[in-house]
Amino acid sequence: MGYYNICNGTTGIATGLASSIPQFNLTEVNEAMIKLLWNRDTDFEEIYCPPDFCTGGTILNASKVKELLKVGCGGSVKMRSTAEYDEKTNSVIFTEIPYGVHVGTIMNQIEEKINKGELLGIDRVLDQSTSTSKLKIELEKNTNPSRIIKQLFKLTSLEDSFTINMV
């Protein structure tokens, strides 16, 4: 049962216990398990597997995550979406989003910020979660894509976190 939870990740509350286990790569976990089978005293550094979320994204605090997994709890994984700028269509395309964040939630956050006047330069937001990209944001003419990307990370769940508690 524990092996399943580690590879697929899980969150939940049991009798007096809360857990929040990130997903891990099955091949890496298998290799770590084999090392442990051959040597129960294997050093943590040899069996460490970083989280591998199915929705992709970039882990921003990798060294802290490694320490959190060593002790089992006490913090979270900071994740950021993968953004690409398409000059032909003047669009920012997000191909990976943080684990547990829904595209619809991000779209609602963007719409809210546009309506409040906190986010300028966006022409249209498209849900493309059925294609290779997850989200396409078409920009208005003469909009700085780097500035928009920074604002989106700051104002929406395109940058998010996942708490680690390996109970």
Side-chain angles (χ1 to χ4, degrees), residues 24-32:
F24 294 91
N25 181 288
L26 179 60
T27 302
E28 292 174 359
V29 171
N30 281 337
E31 289 171 1

Side-chain angles (χ1 to χ4, degrees), residues 69-85:
L69 290 171
K70 190 173 187 176
V71 297
C73 64
S76 58
V77 179
K78 282 184 163 181
M79 299 172 285
R80 179 179 279 177
S81 300
T82 303
E84 301 168 3
Y85 175 67

Side-chain angles (χ1 to χ4, degrees), residues 86-107:
D86 182 0
E87 197 172 333
K88 288 185 219 167
T89 61
N90 192 32
S91 301
V92 177
I93 298 167
F94 292 93
T95 55
E96 300 175 341
I97 58 173
Y99 179 71
V101 177
H102 300 281
V103 172
T105 301
I106 297 167
M107 291 177 70

